[in-house]
């Protein structure tokens, strides 16, 4: 699989994502600098987490105006897959590649902890198709602005089009803080209308070995890679 | 040169900065009359305002350690694994495989009290720069925080701001904050402590130092522009607080973690080439200390044109430029001819890069502004003649040994346990830790109390069948012990740190210390400083954990009231295979054994314990004594058992004693235990002082281990002549039984443990 990881000033999960993809594919993804207009043909582009441009103005707002966004849009129009994690999700929203908005966590505090995600029934996509609907994944979050908000008509549209990919889910009936940010209907990740772009707040690249909170992130990313290679 | 009247026309303030100083100016800058006279004599002229400002910064306690230097020199700093001891930006130790761990702790106490968010954020930024200046990529952040009484209104505001600030910088720059300690005591009401520690990783043969080399080599300024923030911060940090201290807000620096991240990446990229000869972070006292220290360490001089320094504001004076503490700046000496290559890297990262002067062999610091000479000082007096005071001291130690029977109570063991876990000093700090990104960089094994020490993998040491090496890190200090007996308190901080490192499965290696005290002009405070340094030295020598870096923060007083003496020990250790590390949580069907506690141990040490405070609201007994031989034995046997893969978990006994430690080990999996008691205690009731002292006494040199291999472990312990006491086997009942005396419901205590800090912070209780 040919993959690339985009690096903006202030990206800080690029190395983690490269390590995770290399662990799965055996190949090191190329690094794509944010000033690049021309990028080679790739199967998957990952926009990793971080604080691009310091999250100044609004998270992802400045990165969404970088030259590389044009290249990413071209890649999408060629049918390429894009995964945006955390700040990458924020950038995809600011670039209007994905709809809705990511506002501050309900408690107004940065939150770093494990969450449990449930795979939703959704349109065909290269990220979740190999996983079972209703399957649970333990993957950590670390963010300050991960509260996904969609107005009612958009929410209706996302549901009708099967674009809600991942939701935070409680592990038992008594659990009340299972949603780390207060997002609408516990949404953790959404797809583009062609299913080729996934934005998600949790960090799969941080759950790739048993010593560090399990391997559900590895399972998720391995599935992505397998689906994309086809 | 043009006449001075020309300068008056160009920049009036610069003209003023170049005028001769008076004694009043010196006093205002925090210098004494004697120091001013000494300066005039040594430089053979009356300094101008800029020159005097440079002297006052270099002579400040913060830069010169004038009150503590005499004693700091007595600390043990050498061992075969030490690559660089104190005196550089950070300490460096050899961790094998051609790798080095680079680390340091530093305080940002005064700024954090005045402006908690920026104060703590820049504390983190500053300590990170100290580490990457040495050529190391930072891999973990820790902290040691002390706040005032929880019920004091300001405390909540300060906790909230400091935690946000630490997270704000660390999370953004992408270095995991993996742990630390947070405590509360009324002595910090007017003077909180924010000590930040950073650990980095470098190739052993690619360490960068600060001594300037080669007259004629270019001096390069990189990073953020210089503004008017933080001017004379080092001097503020060396003075006592008064009610009007918040007026000092403009002397607090403002952090920009985004620029910090760019500077980190640009510097490490440049250090991968052969361009950098020496490099120094512009920390306390900014361009002054960096230029003076680089030039003097190289026994050279430096000549700078301040018009070339990138500034954020117009018409900044030489005084302001030299004393600004704007963040995210570095000073480098480059190999001649490599400037273009270096500049292209900084251009890529959108950072300023300015050639502002050159190394000289004059032994002088010469600065020009608008073509006028703003400063011409010999370097020697700035560094060598900084005063070193032998201040009078008196080490006061409480000798009164409290007996359990001195503390009579109508509280039951359960009552006491509940009070302990309602105490924010003991309770879970999860509310704080969740605000720090502890898993970025993908190498965190244990963070935030999962284990007695935090543990990060050493990236790139993975081997077939192993995730590779790990670095264990902890910060520790028990100020109430130091207050009662500075020598024992100093020793205890080192021993507890070493026990914590060992309890994670790692070997203790070296120390960075942050000595936080009150006003050294007071005999008893100076006694606390001298005593704890003695204690630290003795324990660190005995345990072969030398001090390789550190920081001193004095004058932590408000309106004449001093903080508890707080000599924080930051310790680093290493483990060869991280999969062999130990957490604190026991698993079902583990046998818990108290190492270092004999069968004959019948009464616990109650003096100066959390238990004593609960019973009679005092800490007036002598603290638990330290036996270094026992400490070493317990650590060595723990590591030996773990090497043979016989252990599941380990947790050292500290605040709150044995029963508190046992509870913490049972929390995660809601386990139960029928705890064994020594025969003399079996018939006690729940109010019995002797039984309570056994449960809550704080005798040192004890670690509780959890094992599935009881027979093998017992055999090894007997063979090695180790005192131990088998506490019992864990079960899934979630009840902790003390024979027929009492039953503790672990889930209830766990619930208290988790709710204490959120409710203190006024968070609504959920679930």
């Amino acid at each position: 699989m040919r993959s690339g990881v985009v690096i903006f000033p202030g990206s800080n999960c690029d190395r983690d994502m490269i390590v995770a993809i290399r662990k799965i594919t055996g190949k090191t993804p190329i690094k794509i600098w944010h000033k690049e207009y021309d990028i080679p043909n790739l199967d998957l582009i990952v926009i990793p987490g971080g604080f691009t441009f310091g999250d100044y103005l609004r998270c992802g707002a400045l990165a969404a105006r970088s030259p590389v966004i044009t290249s990413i849009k071209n890649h999408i129009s060629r049918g390429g897959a894009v995964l945006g994690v955390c700040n990458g999700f924020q950038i995809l929203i600011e670039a209007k590649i994905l709809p809705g908005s990511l506002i501050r966590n309900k408690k107004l505090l940065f939150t770093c902890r494990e969450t449990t995600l449930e795979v939703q029934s959704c349109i065909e996509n290269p990220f979740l198709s190999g996983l079972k609907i209703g399957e649970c994944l333990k993957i950590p979050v670390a963010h300050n602005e991960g509260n996904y908000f969609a107005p009612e008509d958009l929410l209706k549209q996302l549901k009708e089009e099967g674009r809600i990919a991942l939701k935070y889910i409680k592990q038992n009936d008594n659990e009340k803080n299972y949603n780390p940010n207060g997002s609408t209907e516990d949404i953790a990740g959404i797809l583009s209308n062609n299913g080729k772009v996934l934005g998600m707040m949790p960090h799969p690249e941080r759950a790739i070995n048993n010593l560090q909170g399990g391997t559900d992130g590895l399972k998720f990313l391995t599935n992505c890679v397998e689906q994309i290679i086809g | 040169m043009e006449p001075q009247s020309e300068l008056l026309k160009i920049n009036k303030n610069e003209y003023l900065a170049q005028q001769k100083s008076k004694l009043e100016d010196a006093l205002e800058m925090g210098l004494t009359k004697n120091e001013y006279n000494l300066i005039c004599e040594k430089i053979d002229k009356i300094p101008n305002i800029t020159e005097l400002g440079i002297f006052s910064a270099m002579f400040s306690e913060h830069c010169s350690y004038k009150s503590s230097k005499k004693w700091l020199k007595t600390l043990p700093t050498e061992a075969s694994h030490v690559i660089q001891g104190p005196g550089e930006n950070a300490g460096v130790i050899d961790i094998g495989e051609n790798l080095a761990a680079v680390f340091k702790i530093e305080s940002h106490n005064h700024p954090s009290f005045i402006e908690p968010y920026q104060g703590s954020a820049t504390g983190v930024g500053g300590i990170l720069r100290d580490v990457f200046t040495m050529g190391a990529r930072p891999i973990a952040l820790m902290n040691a925080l002390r706040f005032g009484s929880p019920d004091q209104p300001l405390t909540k505001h300060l906790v909230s701001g400091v935690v946000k600030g630490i997270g704000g910088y660390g999370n953004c720059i992408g270095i995991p904050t993996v742990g630390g300690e947070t405590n509360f005591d009324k002595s910090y009401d007017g003077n909180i402590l924010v000590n930040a520690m950073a650990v980095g990783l470098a190739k052993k043969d690619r360490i960068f130092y600060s001594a300037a080399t080669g007259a004629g080599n270019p001096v390069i300024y990189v990073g953020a522009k210089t503004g008017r923030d933080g001017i004379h911060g080092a001097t503020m940090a060396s003075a006592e607080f008064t009610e009007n201290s918040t007026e000092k807000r403009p002397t607090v620096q403002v952090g920009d973690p985004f620029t910090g991240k760019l500077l980190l990446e640009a510097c490490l990229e440049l250090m991968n080439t052969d361009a950098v000869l020496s490099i120094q972070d512009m920390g306390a006292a900014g361009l002054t200390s960096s230029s003076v220290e680089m030039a003097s360490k190289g026994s050279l001089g430096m000549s700078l044109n301040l018009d070339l320094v990138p500034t954020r504001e117009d018409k900044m004076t030489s005084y302001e430029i030299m004393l600004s503490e704007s963040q995210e700046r570095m000073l480098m000496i480059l190999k001649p001819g490599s400037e273009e290559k270096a500049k292209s890297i900084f251009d890529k990262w959108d950072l300023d890069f300015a050639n502002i002067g050159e190394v000289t062999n004059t032994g002088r610091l010469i600065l020009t502004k608008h073509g006028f000479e703003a400063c011409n000082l010999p370097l020697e007096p700035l560094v060598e003649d900084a005063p070193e005071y032998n201040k009078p001291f008196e080490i006061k130690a409480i000798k009164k040994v409290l007996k359990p029977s001195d503390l009579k109570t109508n509280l039951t063991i359960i009552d006491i346990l509940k009070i302990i876990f309602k105490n924010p000093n003991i309770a879970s700090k999860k509310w704080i830790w969740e605000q720090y990104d502890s898993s970025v960089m993908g190498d965190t094994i244990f963070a935030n109390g999962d284990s007695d020490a935090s543990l990060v993998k050493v990236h790139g040491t993975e081997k077939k069948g192993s995730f590779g090496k790990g670095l264990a890190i902890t910060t520790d200090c028990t100020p109430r012990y130091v207050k009662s007996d500075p020598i024992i308190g100093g020793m205890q901080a080192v021993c507890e740190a070493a026990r914590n490192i060992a309890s994670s499965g790692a070997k203790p290696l070296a120390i960075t210390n942050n000595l936080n005290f009150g006003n050294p002009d007071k005999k008893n405070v100076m006694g606390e400083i001298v005593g704890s340094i003695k204690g630290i030295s003795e324990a660190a020598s005995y345990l072969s954990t030398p001090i390789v870096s550190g920081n001193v923060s004095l004058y932590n007083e408000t309106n004449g009231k001093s903080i508890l003496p707080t000599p924080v020990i930051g310790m680093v250790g290493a483990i060869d295979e991280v999969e062999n590390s130990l957490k604190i949580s026991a698993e079902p069907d583990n046998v818990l054994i108290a190492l270092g506690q004999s069968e004959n141990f019948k009464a616990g040490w109650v003096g100066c314990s959390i238990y004593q405070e609960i019973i009679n609201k005092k800490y007036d007994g002598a603290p638990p004594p330290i036996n270094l031989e026992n400490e070493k034995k317990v650590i060595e046997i723990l590591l030996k058992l773990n090497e043979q893969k016989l252990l599941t978990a380990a947790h050292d006994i500290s605040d709150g004693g044995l029963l508190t430690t046992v509870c913490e080990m049972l929390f995660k999996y809601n386990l139960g235990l029928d705890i064994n008691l020594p025969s003399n205690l079996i018939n006690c009731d729940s109010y019995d002082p002797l039984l309570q002292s056994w449960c809550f006494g704080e005798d040192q040199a004890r670690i509780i281990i959890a094992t599935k291999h009881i027979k093998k472990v017992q055999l090894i312990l007997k063979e090695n002549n180790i005192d131990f006491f088998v506490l019992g086997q864990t079960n899934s009942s979630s009840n902790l039984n003390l024979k027929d005396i009492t039953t503790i419901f672990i889930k209830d205590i766990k619930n208290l443990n988790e709710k204490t800090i959120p409710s203190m912070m006024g968070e609504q209780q959920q679930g």
Side-chain angles (χ1 to χ4, degrees), chain B residues 288-523:
Chain B
T288 291
S289 65
S290 52
S291 58
V292 169
E293 283 171 20
M294 288 181 92
S296 71
K297 276 183 189 164
S299 305
L300 291 159
M302 209 177 266
S303 162
L304 305 176
N305 179 353
L306 298 184
D307 293 325
L308 301 175
V309 171
T311 54
R312 214 158 50 206
E313 287 145 288
D314 275 349
K315 294 210 169 171
M316 284 184 67
T317 65
S318 54
Y319 178 87
E320 290 169 324
I321 290 170
M322 290 309 286
L323 291 160
S324 159
E325 289 191 7
S326 289
Q327 299 290 293
E328 289 87 29
R329 303 177 300 158
M330 292 275 191
L331 200 62
M332 307 187 294
I333 314 293
L334 292 187
K335 207 162 113 180
S338 60
E339 295 95 321
E340 277 309 304
K341 182 171 64 181
K343 187 173 183 304
S344 69
I345 291 173
F346 283 82
D347 284 348
K348 173 185 157 192
W349 291 100
D350 297 321
L351 291 169
D352 271 303
F353 179 101
N355 186 333
I356 61 169
E358 61 174 25
V359 179
T360 64
N361 52 18
T362 57
R364 299 183 80 84
L365 179 69
I366 296 169
L367 308 172
T368 57
K369 185 82 180 102
H370 305 306
F372 292 87
E373 193 173 88
C375 162
N376 188 339
L377 288 174
L379 285 161
E380 208 184 317
L382 275 169
V383 183
E384 301 301 324
D385 294 331
E388 177 179 329
Y389 296 124
N390 182 9
K391 294 193 175 171
F393 65 92
E394 183 185 3
I395 303 176
K396 282 189 190 160
I398 295 174
K399 297 292 176 199
K400 183 175 90 181
V401 177
L402 282 186
K403 294 194 293 291
S405 55
D406 295 337
L407 298 175
K408 294 237 168 53
T409 176
N410 52 8
L411 296 170
T412 65
I413 287 173
I414 293 186
D415 294 336
I416 293 164
L417 209 50
K418 285 184 174 166
I419 296 171
I420 287 178
F421 284 103
K422 274 186 199 160
N423 179 343
N425 288 323
I426 310 272
S428 165
K429 308 294 187 294
K430 196 170 147 201
W431 184 89
I432 293 172
W433 290 335
E434 280 190 353
Q435 297 184 52
Y436 303 146
D437 190 336
S438 54
S439 52
V440 65
M441 292 187 91
D443 289 322
T444 305
I445 305 288
F446 294 135
N448 303 331
D450 293 340
S451 167
D452 272 352
S454 301
L455 189 72
V456 290
K457 257 188 332 185
V458 176
H459 204 83
T461 59
E462 299 84 358
K463 290 180 197 66
K464 216 178 171 186
S466 168
F467 287 109
K469 257 180 196 304
L471 287 181
I473 317 157
T474 183
T475 54
D476 287 288
C477 180
T478 314
R480 64 177 186 278
Y481 294 169
V482 188
K483 180 78 190 170
S484 294
D485 187 329
I487 296 178
I488 287 184
M491 287 164 82
Q492 193 274 342
V494 172
C495 293
E496 186 177 342
R499 257 182 271 138
N500 283 336
I501 296 286
S503 297
S504 75
K507 184 176 188 266
L509 288 177
I511 289 172
T512 179
N513 62 3
N514 207 137
L515 306 173
N516 307 277
F517 294 94
N519 182 345
D521 299 329
K522 295 179 183 166
K523 255 169 131 178

Side-chain angles (χ1 to χ4, degrees), chain B residues 268-302:
Chain B
L268 292 181
E269 193 173 327
L270 180 61
M271 285 162 161
N272 246 332
T273 72
D274 62 354
V276 181
L277 295 175
S278 50
I279 178 164
Q280 165 101 348
D281 146 53
M282 287 191 225
L287 190 52
T288 291
S289 65
S290 52
S291 58
V292 169
E293 283 171 20
M294 288 181 92
S296 71
K297 276 183 189 164
S299 305
L300 291 159
M302 209 177 266

Side-chain angles (χ1 to χ4, degrees), chain B residues 17-21 46-53 373-375:
Chain B
Q18 293 188 16
Q19 299 309 300
K20 278 197 175 75
S21 64
I46 292 170
N48 67 27
I49 297 289
T50 295
E51 290 168 331
L52 185 65
E373 193 173 88
C375 162

Side-chain angles (χ1 to χ4, degrees), chain B residues 53-108:
Chain B
I54 288 169
F55 261 103
S56 88
M58 291 307 295
F59 279 18
S60 71
E61 190 66 50
H62 200 93
C63 292
S64 74
Y65 299 117
K66 57 192 170 191
S67 306
S68 54
K69 195 155 57 180
K70 173 182 158 75
W71 300 101
L72 294 175
K73 285 178 189 161
T74 65
L75 287 166
T77 59
E78 287 171 4
S80 57
H81 59 276
V82 173
I83 296 173
Q84 176 64 53
E88 274 291 335
N89 285 294
V92 185
I93 58 168
D94 190 340
I95 56 164
E97 300 189 36
N98 198 35
L99 293 169
V102 178
F103 59 97
K104 193 183 180 191
I105 192 166
E106 197 161 82
S107 63
H108 236 212

Side-chain angles (χ1 to χ4, degrees), chain A residues 9-13 15-16 19 23 33 35 51-54 56 104 107-113 140 142 174 176-177 206 209-212, chain B residues 164 171-174 256-258 261-262 348-350 431 434-445 457 459 467 578-579 763 766-767:
Chain A
S11 294
N12 65 27
C13 301
R15 188 187 79 171
D16 312 0
V19 167
K23 187 169 171 152
W33 185 240
K35 286 181 182 166
F51 285 67
T52 50
F53 297 94
Y56 298 145
R104 284 192 69 187
K107 282 190 182 172
L108 304 179
L109 298 175
F110 186 96
T111 300
C112 173
R113 65 174 165 99
N174 301 329
K176 298 217 176 88
N177 282 323
R206 295 191 193 181
N209 77 54
N210 274 325
L211 281 177
Q212 299 161 267
Chain B
K164 280 206 175 83
N171 300 350
C172 179
I173 198 167
D256 176 3
F258 172 57
K261 169 72 174 166
L262 303 183
K348 173 185 157 192
W349 291 100
D350 297 321
W431 184 89
E434 280 190 353
Q435 297 184 52
Y436 303 146
D437 190 336
S438 54
S439 52
V440 65
M441 292 187 91
D443 289 322
T444 305
I445 305 288
K457 257 188 332 185
H459 204 83
F467 287 109
V578 286
E579 46 275 63
E763 191 163 292
Q766 292 184 325

Side-chain angles (χ1 to χ4, degrees), chain B residues 669-721:
Chain B
Y669 301 110
N670 294 313
L671 299 178
L673 177 77
D674 294 324
I675 204 165
N676 292 325
L677 292 177
S679 54
N680 68 313
L681 299 178
I682 289 175
N683 297 320
C684 292
D685 64 20
S686 192
Y687 302 96
D688 191 284
L690 206 59
L691 175 60
Q692 292 191 349
S693 79
W694 189 86
C695 292
F696 303 113
E698 294 181 3
D699 300 74
Q700 300 292 301
R702 294 184 297 163
I703 299 173
I704 300 182
I705 53 170
T707 177
K708 286 181 186 130
H709 309 278
I710 177 71
K711 287 201 174 135
K712 271 192 196 165
V713 169
Q714 271 180 318
L715 191 71
I716 294 172
L717 293 176
K718 281 177 187 160
E719 274 173 9
N720 287 275
N721 241 339

Side-chain angles (χ1 to χ4, degrees), chain B residues 499-707:
Chain B
R499 257 182 271 138
N500 283 336
I501 296 286
S503 297
S504 75
K507 184 176 188 266
L509 288 177
I511 289 172
T512 179
N513 62 3
N514 207 137
L515 306 173
N516 307 277
F517 294 94
N519 182 345
D521 299 329
K522 295 179 183 166
K523 255 169 131 178
N524 66 317
V525 171
M526 199 59 216
E528 291 167 354
I529 299 172
V530 175
S532 53
I533 289 177
K534 283 183 181 207
I536 290 169
S537 297
E538 201 180 330
S541 297
Y542 196 87
L543 300 175
S544 311
T545 50
I547 287 84
V548 297
S549 59
N551 172 246
V552 179
S553 172
L554 304 179
Y555 301 97
N556 289 293
E557 304 209 343
T558 304
N559 298 330
K561 272 177 71 185
S562 164
I563 59 159
L564 282 177
T566 315
V568 173
I569 299 296
M571 193 182 280
V572 172
I575 182 167
D576 283 337
E577 296 184 336
V578 286
E579 46 275 63
N580 206 19
S581 55
L582 295 168
K583 54 196 187 307
I584 70 163
S585 306
E587 290 173 8
D589 304 318
N590 280 171
V591 175
L592 300 190
I593 303 172
L595 292 182
Q597 176 165 327
S598 82
E599 300 265 351
N600 302 321
F601 176 83
K602 285 167 185 149
W605 189 280
V606 295
C608 222
S609 66
I610 296 278
Y611 172 73
Q612 191 201 342
E613 199 223 355
I614 291 170
I615 306 301
N616 73 359
K617 312 272 176 267
K618 286 181 202 157
Y619 290 128
D620 63 350
I626 297 287
N627 179 325
L628 291 173
E629 198 187 331
N630 289 348
E631 295 281 0
K632 196 172 181 178
K633 257 170 102 174
V634 133
I635 287 168
E636 283 176 351
I637 198 70
L638 173 72
L639 293 176
K640 187 170 174 178
L641 292 169
N642 191 45
E643 265 166 33
Q644 300 184 32
K645 305 197 193 306
L646 295 171
L647 304 181
T648 316
H651 191 13
D652 91 306
I653 300 180
S654 55
D655 283 348
L658 182 140
L659 203 59
T660 306
T661 308
V662 168
C663 287
E664 287 169 344
M665 294 180 82
L666 301 177
F667 282 157
K668 185 164 183 190
Y669 301 110
N670 294 313
L671 299 178
L673 177 77
D674 294 324
I675 204 165
N676 292 325
L677 292 177
S679 54
N680 68 313
L681 299 178
I682 289 175
N683 297 320
C684 292
D685 64 20
S686 192
Y687 302 96
D688 191 284
L690 206 59
L691 175 60
Q692 292 191 349
S693 79
W694 189 86
C695 292
F696 303 113
E698 294 181 3
D699 300 74
Q700 300 292 301
R702 294 184 297 163
I703 299 173
I704 300 182
I705 53 170
T707 177

Side-chain angles (χ1 to χ4, degrees), chain A residues 177-198:
Chain A
N177 282 323
Y178 63 95
N179 177 339
N181 50 43
S183 60
T184 307
E185 299 204 7
D186 302 328
I187 291 173
I190 59 161
L191 291 159
S192 60
N193 53 11
N194 71 352
K196 292 293 179 78
V197 182
L198 172 66

